[in-house]
């Protein structure tokens, strides 16, 4: 399948004016619709006349595989409407995204771990917000790496661009470990890293319903729009952009699920928006059964398989709330990020006129949580007609175990023994020095006692002297 042209939309966020300009350009190129990609980018679904590109100076047309350019994905779309890290506001996202001035060669994610609409670990370079304001965990899965590894320091918000660019620049050395990456990046750029004082915690939330008109606070609404064929009509989009401008709505955001969200609709304009949607015949109440799927772009076979499976779910009155499904194939290089994966196998070579039917594997994420990054094979080499029953079986398994993991953790926590751990805390900024972790930002290896540190040691965050640290006792369970 020929790769289509795309537009890189930084963080999946653009203004109504920018979207309208893109729609007008698409019309001039002979299109009547645009599509959205899983990287929150915009796709031109048909062939377009390359000779006309020069007419649109504000647009950079790319084919990612050919041009080596990737889109930055972010969870800006979830800010204010889903659970979030307190300091990571919509404005903070925009400031962070604005610093990325170059065209990334790696897939970058800028993600809040407390939301579930945008996956965490689908990039090569995954910045994931920590509880420390303006500091991020960094998880790397560089080209050729099998697993995602945690960078041994927290990254300061205003260092993210230069650290990512430094990582791109060292790829020529083919680093095989995250420790090597850390050493090479530290040699290349000055940073304001902070010591990792505890592992990343990713709470489990079911996948949300993200369509329709929903309230934010007391006087505003957000609107989620999803079209099952992923072909968004240009006339509708242009009219919607004008309505956004009339309502002083500054941003429109694309989701990884080939849909988009408009936030900040004034309460007084709610009826105006409902009449507008009715005028264009827009359905805003699709079944949850069909909104939680990730399919390859412009893949009619995958779309038909999805329709077949959703129809079976609907006929059997099955709930899939909280689950997500992905359709992929044996030769896909896409990183799975759904609860359940339907993988098409390679067909064996046919013999004579004998027709060989497609077969599929079914995998599901550990605890049905894609953020575990661990997938379990449920069945292999099954026929298409067997898939609905097996998926319903997995759905029932999901609901049976839902919540039991947390109950088991609570039970274990109740029975765990407690122990005390000695740490030292900076009295100025409350940064903790834990001998078990050391301080990688200052080349202090793990298991280095605080007493053994040089008298010149300074806090990795605020540079307070060693004398500013006070002994603390942490109570731990085991």
């Amino acid at each position: 399948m020929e790769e289509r042209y795309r537009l890189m939309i930084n963080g999946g966020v653009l203004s109504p004016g920018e979207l309208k300009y893109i729609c007008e350009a698409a019309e001039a190129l002979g299109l009547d619709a645009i599509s959205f990609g899983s990287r929150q980018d915009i796709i031109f679904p048909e062939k377009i006349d390359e000779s006309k590109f020069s007419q649109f100076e504000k647009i950079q047309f790319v084919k990612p595989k050919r041009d080596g350019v990737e889109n930055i994905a972010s969870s800006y779309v979830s800010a204010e409407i889903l659970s979030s890290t307190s300091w990571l506001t919509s404005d903070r996202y925009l400031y962070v995204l604005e610093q990325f001035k170059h065209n990334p060669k790696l897939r970058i994610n800028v993600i809040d771990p407390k939301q579930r609409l945008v996956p965490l670990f689908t990039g090569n370079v995954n910045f994931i917000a920590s509880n420390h304001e303006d500091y991020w965990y960094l998880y790397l899965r560089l080209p050729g790496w099998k697993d995602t590894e945690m960078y041994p320091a927290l990254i300061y918000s205003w260092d993210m661009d230069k650290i990512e660019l430094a990582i791109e620049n060292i790829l020529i050395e083919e680093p095989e470990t995250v420790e090597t990456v850390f050493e090479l990046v530290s040699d290349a750029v000055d940073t304001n890293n902070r010591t990792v004082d505890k592992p990343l915690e990713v709470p489990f939330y079911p996948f949300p319903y993200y369509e329709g008109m929903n309230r934010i606070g007391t006087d505003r609404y957000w609107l989620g729009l999803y079209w099952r064929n992923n072909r968004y009509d240009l006339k509708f989009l242009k009219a919607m952009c004008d309505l956004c401008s009339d309502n002083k709505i500054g941003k429109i955001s694309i989701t990884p699920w080939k849909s988009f969200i408009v936030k900040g609709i004034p309460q007084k304009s709610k009826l105006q928006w409902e009449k507008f949607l009715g005028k264009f015949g827009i359905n805003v109440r699709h079944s949850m059964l069909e909104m939680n799927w990730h399919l390859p772009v412009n893949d009619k076979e995958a779309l038909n398989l999805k329709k077949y499976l959703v129809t079976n779910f609907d006929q059997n009155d099955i709930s899939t709330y909280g689950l997500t499904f992905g359709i992929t194939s044996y030769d896909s290089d896409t990183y799975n990020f759904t609860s359940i994966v339907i993988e098409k196998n390679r067909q064996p070579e046919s013999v004579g006129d004998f027709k060989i039917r497609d077969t599929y594997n079914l995998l599901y994420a550990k605890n049905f949580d894609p953020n575990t990054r661990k997938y379990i094979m449920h069945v292999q080499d099954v026929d298409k007609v067997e898939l609905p029953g097996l998926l319903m079986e997995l759905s029932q398994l999901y609901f049976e175990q839902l919540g039991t993991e947390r109950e088991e953790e609570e039970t274990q926590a109740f029975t765990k023994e407690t122990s005390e751990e000695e740490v030292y805390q900076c009295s100025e900024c409350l940064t903790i020095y834990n001998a078990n972790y050391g301080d990688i930002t200052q080349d202090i290896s793990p298991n280095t006692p605080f007493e053994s540190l040089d008298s010149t040691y300074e806090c990795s965050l605020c540079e307070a002297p060693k004398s500013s640290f006070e002994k603390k006792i942490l109570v731990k369970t085991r």
Side-chain angles (χ1 to χ4, degrees), residues 201-214:
E201 295 178 0
V202 182
F204 176 78
Y205 298 106
F207 183 73
Y209 187 88
Y210 57 84
E211 193 183 30
M213 193 79 74
N214 303 272

Side-chain angles (χ1 to χ4, degrees), residues 10-24:
N10 196 14
V13 188
L14 72 172
S15 70
E18 289 169 328
L19 180 56
K20 186 175 181 180
Y21 180 84
I22 290 168
C23 290
E24 290 171 343

Side-chain angles (χ1 to χ4, degrees), residues 395-414:
S395 176
Q396 292 169 353
L397 178 62
Y398 163 71
F399 285 110
E400 286 172 6
Q401 66 89 50
L402 186 62
T404 58
E405 183 75 14
R406 189 170 298 174
E407 291 171 5
E408 289 173 7
E409 290 176 358
E410 291 173 354
T411 302
Q412 291 172 4
F414 183 78

Side-chain angles (χ1 to χ4, degrees), residues 183 195 211 225 298:
E183 292 172 5
T195 303
E211 193 183 30
L225 291 174
N298 284 345

